[in-house]
Amino acid sequence: VIEAELSKGRGPVATVLVQEGTINRGDIVVADKAMGRVRAMIDDRGKSLTSAGPSSAVEILGLDSVPPPSARFFVVKDERDAKAIVGHLEDKERKGRLAEERKKVSLDDLFAQMQAGEVKTLNLVIKSDVQGSLEALRTAFSKLKHPELEVRIIHDAVGAISEHDVYLASASNAIIIGFNVRPEKNAKLLAEQDKVDIKLYSVI
């Protein structure tokens, strides 16, 4: 798939480059999680085609959704095969997403993970209202010692909890600690979406 878009009046339209074999009008195709029967093929001059061979770049209509650019597309025998391929891809994506969510650490389940030996390092992003409090927090966390867990501060700063803080915590599998600060609106939504744990306190 070279490019694809949702066209008003025509639905999902994909421009594809045929690498091998022949694609015919009426064939059932799969491109990533998009599938459908080719109901029209159009070349670069706007001419309607009934078939296209190797090295042909054509627009195809009839897919049920817009495939991502660079996705490989295949002609399959029937709709059942197409649904099986799409179902497999969706299942793989869902399992990957669940595995990623399970990796996220929250303070609520930290103790259980420690007991199971799954957590060796606790990464923290710390935000505070003033520099003095931030220094006190750094000192407090540096004094925390545990034989099975290392506490590591990967970022600390003064100010509200921002989207950047959430992105950093998500990438580092960290917990965000806020002292006398609140998350910005977009940061709160992003944290919920990425399953990043934010803990707010007013006492060190």
Side-chain angles (χ1 to χ4, degrees):
V1 178
I2 300 171
E3 61 181 358
E5 64 175 355
L6 186 61
S7 173
K8 192 174 182 180
R10 296 197 299 168
V13 179
T15 302
V16 301
L17 178 65
V18 182
Q19 292 183 304
E20 57 182 85
T22 302
I23 183 171
N24 302 292
R25 191 165 59 200
D27 282 345
I28 294 175
V29 296
V30 176
D32 194 64
K33 289 178 288 183
M35 57 172 278
R37 188 181 296 276
V38 179
R39 56 183 173 83
M41 275 193 302
I42 303 162
D43 67 12
D44 58 340
R45 289 168 292 185
K47 181 183 175 183
S48 183
L49 304 174
T50 57
S51 64
S55 300
S56 301
V58 294
E59 276 188 346
I60 60 172
L61 283 69
L63 295 172
D64 61 359
S65 60
V66 178
S70 80
R72 296 185 67 191
F73 76 97
F74 304 90
V75 174
V76 296
K77 185 174 66 176
D78 53 34
E79 194 173 317
R80 187 172 63 180
D81 283 356
K83 287 181 178 177
I85 292 169
V86 171
H88 172 72
L89 289 172
E90 289 177 340
D91 188 52
K92 188 176 178 182
E93 184 182 90
R94 186 166 51 250
K95 285 179 179 176
R97 192 167 58 244
L98 288 172
E100 185 63 30
E101 287 178 2
R102 278 197 297 270
K103 286 197 295 185
K104 300 296 184 187
V105 176
S106 71
L107 286 181
D108 295 333
D109 62 11
L110 179 63
F111 183 67
Q113 291 187 35
M114 283 170 57
Q115 285 186 317
E118 295 172 6
V119 177
K120 302 297 182 186
T121 303
L122 174 61
N123 293 326
L124 296 177
V125 172
I126 302 174
K127 297 301 291 282
S128 179
D129 55 343
V130 293
Q131 192 65 38
S133 296
L134 195 62
E135 293 293 338
L137 285 163
R138 279 202 208 104
T139 302
F141 280 117
S142 68
K143 291 178 180 177
L144 288 177
K145 302 295 180 185
H146 192 284
E148 298 173 19
L149 184 71
E150 176 193 356
V151 177
R152 188 167 55 139
I153 300 171
I154 61 170
H155 175 65
D156 58 63
V158 171
I161 297 165
S162 67
E163 286 181 85
H164 175 267
D165 298 322
V166 177
Y167 281 125
L168 181 61
S170 181
S172 308
N173 196 20
I175 291 170
I176 298 175
I177 303 292
F179 180 74
N180 278 340
V181 292
R182 308 287 302 176
E184 295 170 353
K185 184 178 179 182
N186 288 342
K188 185 178 180 181
L189 292 172
L190 184 64
E192 290 171 356
Q193 176 185 308
D194 286 2
K195 303 285 190 285
V196 171
D197 201 19
I198 298 178
K199 294 296 183 181
L200 305 175
Y201 300 96
S202 57
V203 176
I204 297 177

